[in-house]
Structure formats: structure tokens, C-alpha cells
Amino acid sequence: MTVSNTDIHFEHESDCLFVRAISRYFLIQKEEAIQAIVDALKARPVKAALVDLRGVPGPVTFTDRYRLGELTGRYLAGTPIAVVVFEEQADPERIGKLVARNRGANIEVFTDLAEAQAWLKKYFGSEKA
């Protein structure tokens, strides 16, 4: 099943939700974007999620990362989440990941899609992520 709007695409494959952000909406409307992921997870529960933020243009601020981490911890703590970003989008300190984990989220940030998928495999046993 694929669900999309002009800013975020959702696709369920096996027991994984694939989320692809394609605009700054994910940063500008953080709470709404996270809530859309929550809604997709409620509509069809999965074992894990992969959030691809490589389509989000422009700079990502410390505040953006902190707030996304906070919202992830608050609303998505029950689902393992792999986040994929470009190297230039990545925060060397991984503040968003730290904030999310401090609030109970199981999240990891990657700059390589294959590494993110490999990390997710442990939640699927022998199935592919």
C-alpha cells in the first residue's frame, strides 16, 4: 500500500513502513509530519520503519534536530526507526537521535541506505527490510 501527499510518501512493504520526505514540510510542520507517521503506523502496524529524509532540501538546524528527536521519542518510541540522510544533512553529534533515545525511542541515523536496511533486518528475522 502506498499513501502520499505532496510532501511525504508512505509505503508499506511486508512489516516495514517506508517514509520518504520530499520537501521542507517535515521540518516546518514537524508535529504534523510525525503525526502522519503515527497515523500510518496505526492504520497498518509494522515491526519497523525507515524514514528517508534525503529529499528534504536546505539546512537543518540544531532546533530542528532537537524537536524532531523530542517528537520521535514522544510518539514513536514503540517502533524501531532507521533514518537515512545525506552526509551533509547529518549532525556529527546526532543530537536528534540522542534526544529521541533519551525519551525511549529505538532509532539509528544512517547516511547509507543499505546500512539502514541491514540494521532493520534484525527486526525481521530472515525477512528482508
Side-chain angles (χ1 to χ4, degrees):
M1 174 182 102
T2 301
V3 177
S4 70
N5 63 30
T6 59
D7 301 300
I8 304 174
H9 295 267
F10 299 92
E11 184 175 343
H12 284 90
E13 186 175 305
S14 299
D15 283 331
C16 190
L17 174 65
F18 294 92
V19 180
R20 186 169 47 101
I22 57 171
S23 75
R24 289 195 58 81
Y25 171 84
F26 209 89
L27 299 177
I28 295 167
Q29 299 295 329
K30 294 169 194 62
E31 192 145 5
E32 290 84 354
I34 297 296
Q35 187 59 54
I37 295 172
V38 170
D39 293 346
L41 290 170
K42 285 181 181 176
R44 184 170 165 194
V46 295
K47 292 181 180 177
L50 188 147
V51 179
D52 186 347
L53 298 179
R54 295 175 297 175
V56 177
V60 182
T61 68
F62 175 89
T63 304
D64 290 334
R65 291 179 175 100
Y66 189 95
R67 185 72 175 128
L68 283 171
E70 185 178 53
L71 291 166
T72 298
R74 183 182 309 155
Y75 296 114
L76 298 170
T79 304
I81 300 171
V83 178
V84 181
V85 297
F86 286 125
E87 187 64 44
E88 58 270 15
Q89 293 172 307
D91 170 24
E93 304 299 319
R94 300 290 198 258
I95 189 65
K97 179 178 98 171
L98 179 64
V99 170
R101 283 189 171 186
N102 284 344
R103 286 157 178 76
N106 180 5
I107 185 170
E108 191 60 60
V109 178
F110 300 90
T111 57
D112 181 90
L113 179 60
E115 288 178 15
Q117 291 171 320
W119 181 80
L120 287 173
K121 282 183 182 180
K122 64 184 169 186
Y123 299 101
F124 295 94
S126 62
E127 299 174 38
K128 283 188 162 182

